[in-house]
Amino acid sequence: MNAQTAILQKDITPQGGDYETVRRVIEKISLDYRDQPSLETLAAEVGETPTNLQKLFTRWAGLSPKGFLQAVTLDHARKLLDSGMPLLETSFEVGMSGPGRLHDLFVTHEAMSPGDYKTRGAGLTIRYGYHISPFGIALIMVTDRGLAGLSFNDAGGERAAFADMSSRWPNANYIEDMAATAPYAARIFDPARWRSEQPLRVVMIGTDFQLRVWEALLKIPMGKARSYSSIAAEIGAPQASRAVGAAIGANPLSFVVPCHRALGKSGQLTGYHWGLTRKRAILGWEAGQVCARA
């Protein structure tokens, strides 16, 4: 089906998942972080008991709401350094005995040629499916060469997410095929399956400049962050911070190519294509993974 006329014929919204409750808690923390809201306040906000919220949030993120508050409030984000200061201001601040070995996605990637990109996907078959993830509904797109697209949306936003992603390669042939995308969903969001001997296959479809920026993002370890200006310097274009920001915003492989680890020069959590609340959620989830493996 052509991307410009694609209409989903059935309701594919997955049921279940904790993200909506967690999203509301993260939003409350993000707005009221200076007040350091208590567990009781957060629980009341989402209609949960403090005990249930503590269990749900800890199961989801790997750390408590209090630990998340310490890890990703704007106060902490502003203290991140260009050199890659850990997302947690220090490991000791959240009760860790010391920094642990970081686990991250092991990714092997290749890029389509500039000629392939200019055809806007002509001759390319992209299979897609929607899956529950820790960060809402994930739209996953794959080719025979590997993962080509990953975006997020809330319930009801599936059509808009498809239109956004498919507009990047409007001449491709799109086939809904959750059987093809399910193994990628299972692999991407399960840290136990992040192994160097079984790397995730990714194909990048973009301009030469975009590919350079996305490859630089892949070098940022989990639990760390980089500014747009430092990424621009790394790719040999120190005056191109704005262009770097645009390339980061156009990244079609959310989470896997970690555009969420890119921050403004002052360390601020600047715009994110899939929403700042989701960006905070991903950073907090990653902070929990770092804590769990300390």
Side-chain angles (χ1 to χ4, degrees):
M1 121 177 75
N2 186 278
Q4 295 173 330
T5 59
I7 299 176
L8 299 176
Q9 299 299 316
K10 61 182 182 298
D11 182 8
I12 46 69
T13 304
Q15 300 298 313
D18 297 332
Y19 178 73
E20 178 59 24
T21 297
V22 173
R23 183 196 67 78
R24 291 175 60 194
V25 172
I26 292 169
E27 190 169 48
K28 177 70 173 177
I29 288 172
S30 301
L31 292 174
D32 299 341
Y33 69 95
R34 285 193 176 90
D35 297 332
Q36 296 291 291
S38 66
L39 177 63
E40 289 73 19
T41 298
L42 295 172
E45 180 76 12
V46 296
E48 287 280 359
T49 66
T51 299
N52 285 345
L53 178 62
Q54 179 87 351
K55 290 179 179 178
L56 185 157
F57 199 99
T58 302
R59 182 176 70 250
W60 178 87
L63 74 171
S64 67
K66 180 179 179 180
F68 184 92
L69 177 60
Q70 291 174 321
V72 289
T73 57
L74 294 182
D75 276 341
H76 286 267
R78 292 192 181 102
K79 294 174 184 175
L80 289 170
L81 301 178
D82 243 11
S83 59
M85 180 180 178
L87 174 64
L88 302 174
E89 187 182 7
T90 69
S91 59
F92 301 101
E93 186 169 348
V94 291
M96 295 164 58
S97 59
R101 177 172 175 264
L102 297 178
H103 285 224
D104 208 342
L105 280 170
F106 290 91
V107 175
T108 178
H109 67 278
E110 61 175 305
M112 295 186 71
S113 70
D116 289 332
Y117 173 71
K118 288 179 182 178
T119 67
R120 307 298 300 280
L124 188 66
T125 295
I126 298 179
R127 300 178 184 277
Y128 69 95
Y130 298 84
H131 303 270
I132 287 291
S133 84
F135 316 112
I137 299 168
L139 169 58
I140 294 178
M141 293 182 161
V142 302
T143 72
D144 58 0
R145 294 160 65 178
L147 179 72
L150 170 58
S151 69
F152 296 108
N153 62 267
D154 296 325
E158 294 82 8
R159 290 168 177 79
F162 180 82
D164 173 34
M165 291 295 287
S166 60
S167 68
R168 301 160 191 256
W169 316 294
N171 297 326
N173 178 44
Y174 290 90
I175 300 173
E176 185 177 0
D177 186 352
M178 289 186 66
T181 55
Y184 286 87
R187 166 70 173 78
I188 291 166
F189 300 112
D190 182 2
R193 299 179 66 179
W194 297 355
R195 300 189 182 100
S196 57
E197 67 271 19
Q198 295 179 340
L200 178 71
R201 293 176 55 213
V202 168
V203 56
M204 296 178 175
I205 309 173
T207 66
D208 286 343
F209 184 82
Q210 287 174 332
L211 294 174
R212 288 161 59 198
V213 171
W214 299 341
E215 288 172 347
L217 291 173
L218 281 170
K219 298 176 183 177
I220 306 174
M222 178 186 287
K224 295 190 177 181
R226 299 284 301 277
S227 70
Y228 298 151
S229 58
S230 69
I231 294 171
E234 179 177 329
I235 66 172
Q239 305 303 316
S241 293
R242 288 182 180 272
V244 164
I248 290 172
N251 170 34
L253 290 159
S254 179
F255 187 71
V256 172
V257 176
C259 51
H260 55 276
R261 298 176 195 161
L263 305 178
K265 188 173 183 179
S266 64
Q268 291 181 329
L269 296 180
T270 51
Y272 184 62
H273 193 73
W274 293 277
L276 276 180
T277 297
R278 186 167 278 109
K279 181 171 184 173
R280 295 184 181 102
I282 294 173
L283 290 171
W285 186 88
E286 290 189 338
Q289 299 302 313
V290 173
C291 286
R293 288 160 176 78

